[in-house]
Amino acid sequence: MPNSMRYCQTCRFELSKRGFKRHTLSVVHRKGKLIRAMLERDCITHAEIARRIGLTRERVRQLAQVMGFATGRSRHAICRMERRRKEMAEFFVQAQKRGFAVELLGKKSAYINGKLCIQRQACWHDVGRSEYKYTCLSIRRPSVKFDICAWKLPDGRFLILPKQLTGFTQTTFNPEESDRLGTNSSSHYYRDYVERWSLLGRPRRSK
Ligand SMILES: [Zn+2]
C-alpha cells in the first residue's frame, strides 16, 4: 500500500490519506456495515439500497465495485437462481443432489433426462380399520401431462411412478412392509417404486 493511501477497516477499501478524514465522517463510512450487509444479500437491488440509506444508485454501484461485490446484473442472476432453487419442489432438489440435470418448468415440474417430471403429495388415508389406519397412503393421478410423477410421502421419501402405472384417479398403497399392499379394491406393488430414482435414467455425474 503506498504511503499516501489509508485502508479503512470498516469499509474494507483504501483511499487517499487526504480523503480519509472526510471519509470517516461520510455516510458510507458510518453506514459501512449496513451497506455491506445489504450488498451481501443478492436479492436486494442497488436502487433499493440507495433508497434506504439516502445515496444515489450510482454511488451504491461504485461502492459495491470498490467493496468487491458482483455487479448488479450478476447479483440479479444469482438472486433469480436462488429464488428458483428455494421454490423448487423437494423432488427436484433431491434429483439435483443425485447428479441429475434438472430443467425447471415451474415449481413442481421439470425435465430430467428429457422426461417430464412432476411432484405431488401423498396423504395418509383413513382406511377405516384402526390397525391399518396409519399404514395407507392416498395418491391421486395428476390431471396435467407428465412422464413421471413423484409423490412425496410423509416420511420424506418419494413414490416414483412412470405414467404407464398411473391408471387410477385416486388409489391407496401401503408404504410399510406388510401383507396388505393397499385397500382390498386396489392392491399393487407401489412399495417397489418408493425411491425408484432409476426411472429417471442415469445421473449426469455419479455420486
Ligand atoms: Zn470507512
Side-chain angles (χ1 to χ4, degrees):
M1 199 181 301
N3 201 26
S4 60
M5 300 297 279
R6 280 196 67 177
Y7 184 77
C8 178
Q9 296 289 344
T10 309
C11 307
R12 293 186 226 166
F13 59 76
E14 57 178 41
L15 5 73
S16 70
K17 228 170 187 171
R18 275 172 61 207
F20 194 78
K21 179 88 167 71
R22 199 178 52 193
H23 167 73
T24 56
L25 300 170
S26 69
V27 183
V28 171
H29 177 79
R30 284 183 289 118
K31 298 197 176 172
K33 274 186 187 143
L34 183 65
I35 294 170
R36 178 170 296 282
M38 284 195 275
L39 281 168
E40 272 163 4
R41 289 167 43 204
D42 292 312
C43 284
I44 189 168
T45 62
H46 287 167
E48 176 60 17
I49 295 173
R51 195 189 63 77
R52 289 195 199 173
I53 54 182
L55 293 174
T56 65
R57 201 184 73 175
E58 176 58 17
R59 189 77 187 103
V60 173
R61 190 192 67 76
Q62 286 167 3
L63 279 169
Q65 200 176 19
V66 173
M67 287 174 162
F69 285 94
T71 64
R73 195 173 296 175
S74 62
R75 278 156 43 83
H76 192 69
I78 295 167
C79 168
R80 206 166 42 219
M81 230 158 58
E82 277 285 299
R83 194 176 292 158
R84 288 188 90 171
R85 198 183 55 75
K86 269 182 209 151
E87 286 175 348
M88 200 191 297
E90 180 69 18
F91 182 68
F92 302 121
V93 176
Q94 291 292 327
Q96 276 187 340
K97 281 187 189 158
R98 286 163 194 270
F100 289 101
V102 176
E103 294 170 63
L104 272 192
L105 298 168
K107 290 177 196 179
K108 290 182 177 175
S109 62
Y111 278 109
I112 297 175
N113 281 338
K115 298 181 180 82
L116 181 54
C117 304
I118 59 173
Q119 182 185 316
R120 290 296 184 269
Q121 192 85 29
C123 306
W124 290 121
H125 187 70
D126 187 350
V127 182
R129 290 178 53 188
S130 56
E131 64 262 43
Y132 297 114
K133 201 168 168 180
Y134 302 104
T135 57
C136 276
L137 284 167
S138 167
I139 55 174
R140 285 185 168 278
R141 185 180 207 267
S143 54
V144 299
K145 259 183 75 177
F146 67 96
D147 297 317
I148 289 170
C149 184
W151 284 268
K152 189 175 180 184
L153 310 185
D155 64 8
R157 294 180 302 166
F158 288 97
L159 170 67
I160 307 171
L161 292 180
K163 192 181 179 163
Q164 307 87 273
L165 290 180
T166 59
F168 52 82
T169 307
Q170 182 271 330
T171 190
T172 53
F173 81 104
N174 183 354
E176 307 303 334
E177 286 295 326
S178 153
D179 293 336
R180 274 178 77 98
L181 299 167
T183 50
N184 293 334
S185 58
S186 61
S187 66
H188 28 57
Y189 294 85
Y190 288 165
R191 201 161 56 219
D192 296 342
Y193 287 87
V194 172
E195 296 286 288
R196 210 0 121 109
W197 292 87
S198 59
L199 284 175
L200 298 177
R202 293 165 70 89
R204 188 172 43 179
R205 56 187 157 80
S206 48
K207 274 228 153 162

